[in-house]
Amino acid sequence: MHWALVGASTIAAEHMIRALRRHGEVDWVVSGDAVRGRDYAARHGIAQATTDLAEVLADPGVEAVYISTTNEKHRDQALATIAAGKHVICEKPLAMSVADAVGMVAAAKAPGLVFATNHHLRCSGSHRTVRRLVAEGRIGRVLSLRVHHAVFLPPHLQGWRIDNPGVGGGVIPDITVHDADCVRFLTGEDPVSVVAQAGVSGMGQGVEDSVMSVWTLPSGAMVSSHESFTHRFAGTGLEVHGTEGSIFARGVMTQAPVGEIALVTAKGTEAVPFPGDDLYAVAVDEFVAAVEGRGRPAADGVDGVKSLAVALAVREAAASGRRCDVDYGGL
Ligand code: NDP
């Protein structure tokens, strides 16, 4: 498979180029800056760099495009890529609004292109194991979930995320969107309404760097979710509490296949093992399988719309101080 990168990004450098190369060549990188693009291509062994997305889309050899620019660019770049008949893996959040994200999904549907959202957490062995335990009824009926995803944003990522709302900065589009996908993946439920408070705790300039929210699921189960850029030592985790047991997954809200899972029931506490596959490799493996007509991507476009819808409802609830219904844009 021949790929193009749109965005000379950190996430591509740190995780995705390696995952894409398991399935062929990365032929191009598109950057807004010619010099940075050329340097990036040289550093990562990519044959061609350009500032012109149209040049890449005119290359008949390119079959799929990975978009990892800042968030405000995702929509137009995805729509252009889809119009050129190429499959897309788009970074989260898919767009700046639910309506835009819905439009991207609709555009890919008509020509039958695969359109995936890069929600890596649902590709981790830990999350898939928690999901299986829930689906098997090991904790009975789900009563509540707690998501602990307050981390310390490393200095090399403290750019647009902490000071530029116009390009999609803030912890809500950055991390809450992942947690929304995670809860949907684990429960199979779409949150109905949310309440939230957000604030600045030492890093954000014009955008929130911390948020706590509570979501209601259609079953009546409740979710509490905490995201932050400023917590150095909090650790991450995921808890699912049911009528017959609780699952404690510690250290699993991350990019690496690490952490531990404990299942607590009336029988006692059981450590549950899980596969240690690279999350991004799994995401790309499943995307390629979908392109080849085998299954669907780990997270598709609809999943990307819904995670964004929850995150934007959290932002609206925090700004207004009101309980907000989640608007899935008709999906
Ligand atoms: P980066 O800041 O590294 O890259 C985003 C854009 O910033 C690039 O496309 C590039 O623009 C520009 N850029 C990169 N380096 C520089 C620089 N030194 N000086 C000036 N501009 C620069 O962002 P991330 O890789 O962290 O995030 C990119 C996207 O991926 C976001 O949408 C984010 O939400 C998502 N993401 C997803 C993750 C996941 O696990 N699914 C994890 C991390 C991020 P240009 O296109 O012009 O080259």
Side-chain angles (χ1 to χ4, degrees), residues 142-222:
V142 172
L143 299 170
S144 67
L145 294 90
R146 295 183 198 158
V147 183
H148 309 271
H149 206 159
V151 296
F152 188 78
L153 189 66
H156 72 288
L157 296 180
Q158 289 176 23
W160 55 272
R161 276 183 176 80
I162 64 167
D163 68 2
N164 195 338
V167 305
V171 77
I172 293 173
D174 202 49
I175 307 185
T176 308
V177 80
H178 275 311
D179 295 343
D181 184 66
C182 166
V183 167
R184 290 189 59 252
F185 178 69
L186 295 179
T187 63
E189 296 193 62
D190 294 339
V192 177
S193 64
V194 307
V195 293
Q197 293 201 18
V200 172
S201 57
M203 197 180 281
Q205 299 154 40
V207 294
E208 79 288 334
D209 62 27
S210 293
V211 59
M212 289 186 175
S213 55
V214 175
W215 318 340
T216 302
L217 302 182
S219 63
M222 291 171 69

Side-chain angles (χ1 to χ4, degrees), residues 7-11 30-33 36 68-71 74 91-93 118 120 157 160-161 174 178 255 280:
S9 69
T10 308
I11 179 69
V30 182
S31 172
D33 183 282
R36 197 176 61 247
S68 61
T69 45
T70 47
N71 306 339
H74 295 172
E91 270 305 341
K92 45 51 67 171
N118 204 26
H120 63 293
L157 296 180
W160 55 272
R161 276 183 176 80
D174 202 49
H178 275 311
Q255 295 176 303
Y280 297 93

